[in-house]
Amino acid sequence: AHFPMVYSEDLAQQILDAVGGGPCVLKLCDRARSCGVVIASPHRLDDILRSLLASCSSQDTDHHGVVNEDVSAATSRWAEVSRCASALTGFAEAALHWQANEHGHFLAEALCDSKWVQGPGGKSYNGTLRVGFVAAKPGVQGCDGHGAPCPPVMHLLGAYWKLPDFAADDAAANDAERMISHTHGGVGTAPCSSDDEAAVWAVLRE
């Protein structure tokens, strides 16, 4: 579900209603590779939203919810945030990405486990499957017989597991440390089996 980047007293309850009432994951629409991803328990969700959205509510947006800012300024701000965030970890890093967000909405989804995969030392990790693909423009027009453009041709490049900082059963770590696979940090990567690659590719192609 998506929600506006504006705090309200009933926002947490709206999110909980949308995700089934349990722990949830908050994500930005214009970030990738775990930048800005936050895991929130139901009892902490309102406080987390207050903190993340404190600097977003005053941003000037158009009727589509997009921040009114020229490309040069947005690029400079994004670059500065990326530089600063690279030296941070955890919630502090995520919050910085929320402050530099260019979109008027964020995403919320129910927290769920990924497939546990074997990582360093034989430990099991709750990894994130990252898939590389290319959407190529087809050279033929009129696929439906009426001159409508053909859909893009999808080409799979490959997939791998990005591992979080701590093993899935590490009781000393919190949920974020066991589940979020950061752009920087973490314990590395793990190969993706051909069966898992085929399964996720079948879903993405749909």
Side-chain angles (χ1 to χ4, degrees):
H2 67 276
F3 300 89
M5 297 283 290
V6 178
Y7 175 80
S8 64
E9 293 185 355
D10 64 342
L11 180 58
Q13 189 58 54
Q14 291 181 43
I15 293 174
L16 292 175
D17 290 343
V19 303
C24 63
V25 181
L26 308 178
K27 300 179 178 180
L28 295 169
C29 295
D30 58 1
R31 292 293 186 275
R33 297 187 296 173
S34 301
C35 294
V37 174
V38 175
I39 294 176
S41 61
H43 73 278
R44 287 276 297 131
L45 180 57
D46 184 69
D47 289 338
I48 289 173
L49 290 170
R50 284 178 184 269
S51 181
L52 291 176
L53 299 175
S55 63
C56 303
S57 300
S58 62
Q59 289 182 324
D60 179 28
T61 61
D62 63 18
H63 64 285
H64 296 298
V66 178
V67 177
N68 289 319
E69 185 175 32
D70 65 69
V71 174
S72 177
T75 301
S76 297
R77 185 162 56 91
W78 182 88
E80 177 62 16
V81 165
S82 297
R83 184 187 67 79
C84 295
S86 65
L88 301 174
T89 59
F91 186 80
E93 177 190 0
L96 202 56
H97 286 292
W98 281 68
Q99 292 173 19
N101 170 68
E102 298 101 11
H103 201 280
H105 292 80
F106 68 93
L107 304 175
E109 59 188 38
L111 176 66
C112 60
D113 275 338
S114 178
K115 179 179 180 178
W116 287 20
V117 294
Q118 189 175 51
K123 296 180 179 179
S124 294
Y125 288 82
N126 201 336
T128 298
L129 185 60
R130 293 186 173 165
V131 182
F133 62 92
V134 173
K137 183 178 180 181
V140 180
Q141 297 294 318
C143 289
D144 64 352
H146 301 287
C150 296
V153 179
M154 309 296 288
H155 299 283
L156 174 65
L157 300 178
Y160 69 95
W161 291 99
K162 182 71 173 73
L163 306 180
D165 294 328
F166 294 90
D169 60 353
D170 191 329
N174 58 41
D175 285 342
E177 293 169 332
R178 292 191 299 263
M179 301 183 77
I180 298 178
S181 301
H182 298 282
T183 302
H184 61 275
V187 297
T189 62
C192 175
S193 70
S194 56
D195 288 343
D196 286 343
E197 187 176 275
V200 73
W201 184 237
V203 173
L204 290 176
R205 291 190 66 180
E206 293 180 0

